Amino acid sequence: MKLLRYGQSGHEKPGMLDSDGRIRDLSSIVSNIDSSVLAPSRLEHLRGFDPAKLPLVRGTPRLGVPYTGIGKFVAIGLNYSDHAAESGMPVPAEPIVFMKATTCITGPNDGIVLPKGSAKTDWEVELGVVIGSRAQYVEKSEAMKYVGGYCVVNDVSERNFQLERGSQWDKGKGCDTFGPIGPYLVTPESVPDPQALDMWLDVNGKRCQRGNTKTMIFGVAHLVSYVSQFMTLMPGDIITTGTPPGVGMGMKPPQFLKAGDVVTLGIEGLGEQRQRVTAWPGR
């Protein structure tokens, strides 16, 4: 099942994708797709509806973030060994955890705005894991029961802010527009193995990243369990799980985003994103 929200920013309506890839309106069933809808019983209720019998949404409306109620945007660094190598950093013995500001979250096709003073804004295609049930001190063997779905995430990163202005990654990760999520929230029964998903990212039509979630150092179950040891995960929280190689920082010479660039990215079965890059107003 693929859930989504469509319409102008701040006025999105709930929707569901049918088997032909068309948007069906869910407004008669739920008022919004929020964190409460992620509960297993609510998702099971939605699975009982035949998308073909729901109203068809005409045209190609803007897609928003596929659900609301993201209280925490947790991120995992250097979770692919070949990405750690291209970054010149050791493979971590434990997951590297940092936070992205929730104010960075945007729809999957909304633009990326280079922040004021940016010199090294970079791209990262990642698998996002959405929490469906309250998770605290969860065992790895039980962790997948707490997953409400999966999304594509672009973990946009300003490397100068992240790595050259102190030791805190967060300030290079949470700038406005640095967290495109979507286009869909894909529920777990539609993703039988989250550790076998092809992923890719292009800049201006050139393939930069190509990978598969099977090469993660720490898999989804490990990450949900691990993060829950340090903070209680609530319905709607999202964990973005790291990126494969091919980021701009790792190229020789390094390449970073500039105004006018177009970034496209996707993950097998989870949909695609497209963002045009613009400069900070008045830059």
Side-chain angles (χ1 to χ4, degrees):
M1 184 167 60
K2 294 180 178 179
L3 302 175
L4 55 91
R5 295 167 65 247
Y6 68 95
Q8 295 182 354
S9 179
H11 302 279
E12 293 92 343
K13 296 181 179 180
M16 176 187 291
L17 212 65
D18 68 18
S19 59
D20 294 319
R22 299 176 298 180
I23 299 174
R24 300 286 180 160
D25 184 69
L26 275 175
S27 299
S28 63
I29 300 169
V30 293
S31 59
N32 200 357
I33 298 174
D34 58 21
S35 56
S36 69
V37 173
L38 301 175
S41 60
R42 296 289 302 279
L43 291 178
E44 188 61 33
H45 176 69
L46 288 178
R47 289 188 194 100
F49 291 92
D50 181 0
K53 296 181 179 179
L54 298 172
L56 181 65
V57 177
R58 302 291 180 181
T60 54
R62 170 190 173 270
L63 296 179
V65 181
Y67 70 100
T68 64
I70 301 175
K72 291 192 288 296
F73 196 169
V74 184
I76 307 300
L78 304 178
N79 197 27
Y80 290 73
S81 58
D82 35 14
H83 172 55
E86 73 173 351
S87 302
M89 299 180 185
V91 174
E94 293 190 32
I96 295 173
V97 180
F98 61 94
M99 307 294 283
K100 289 178 73 76
T102 55
T103 48
C104 81
I105 296 171
T106 62
N109 303 318
D110 296 339
I112 295 171
V113 180
L114 300 174
K116 187 176 181 180
S118 169
K120 299 180 179 180
T121 294
D122 207 344
W123 55 83
E124 295 188 11
V125 59
E126 303 197 4
L127 172 67
V129 179
V130 179
I131 301 300
S133 305
R134 185 178 185 273
Q136 183 182 45
Y137 299 120
V138 171
E139 295 294 331
K140 181 178 176 180
S141 60
E142 299 291 313
M144 301 305 286
K145 297 178 181 178
Y146 295 84
V147 174
Y150 302 92
C151 296
V152 180
V153 174
N154 188 356
D155 177 19
V156 186
S157 309
E158 214 299 339
R159 303 301 189 188
N160 174 261
F161 297 176
Q162 176 192 357
L163 301 171
E164 300 173 36
R165 298 184 61 179
S167 62
Q168 299 300 316
W169 283 19
D170 296 27
K171 59 191 173 189
K173 295 285 192 170
C175 303
D176 292 353
T177 74
F178 273 24
I181 297 176
Y184 318 121
L185 169 69
V186 183
T187 50
E189 80 284 351
S190 297
V191 187
D193 185 359
Q195 302 304 157
L197 303 177
D198 288 329
M199 51 205 307
W200 58 272
L201 182 144
D202 294 351
V203 178
N204 299 327
K206 178 182 178 181
R207 183 61 44 94
C208 295
Q209 289 188 274
R210 181 184 289 109
N212 188 288
T213 56
K214 67 184 178 183
T215 64
M216 282 184 183
I217 299 167
F218 306 105
V220 171
H222 185 113
L223 293 174
V224 172
S225 173
Y226 184 86
V227 175
S228 78
Q229 309 303 310
F230 302 98
M231 63 190 82
T232 299
L233 295 169
M234 301 299 292
D237 289 350
I238 185 168
I239 303 173
T240 190
T241 57
T243 197
V247 300
M249 177 178 64
M251 294 183 175
K252 300 184 185 305
Q255 299 179 24
F256 299 108
L257 295 173
K258 61 185 183 302
D261 286 346
V262 174
V263 182
T264 52
L265 58 148
I267 298 179
E268 179 183 357
L270 304 186
E272 300 181 4
Q273 299 183 355
R274 181 183 187 275
Q275 297 112 26
R276 180 173 291 277
V277 180
T278 60
W280 176 259
R283 184 179 176 186

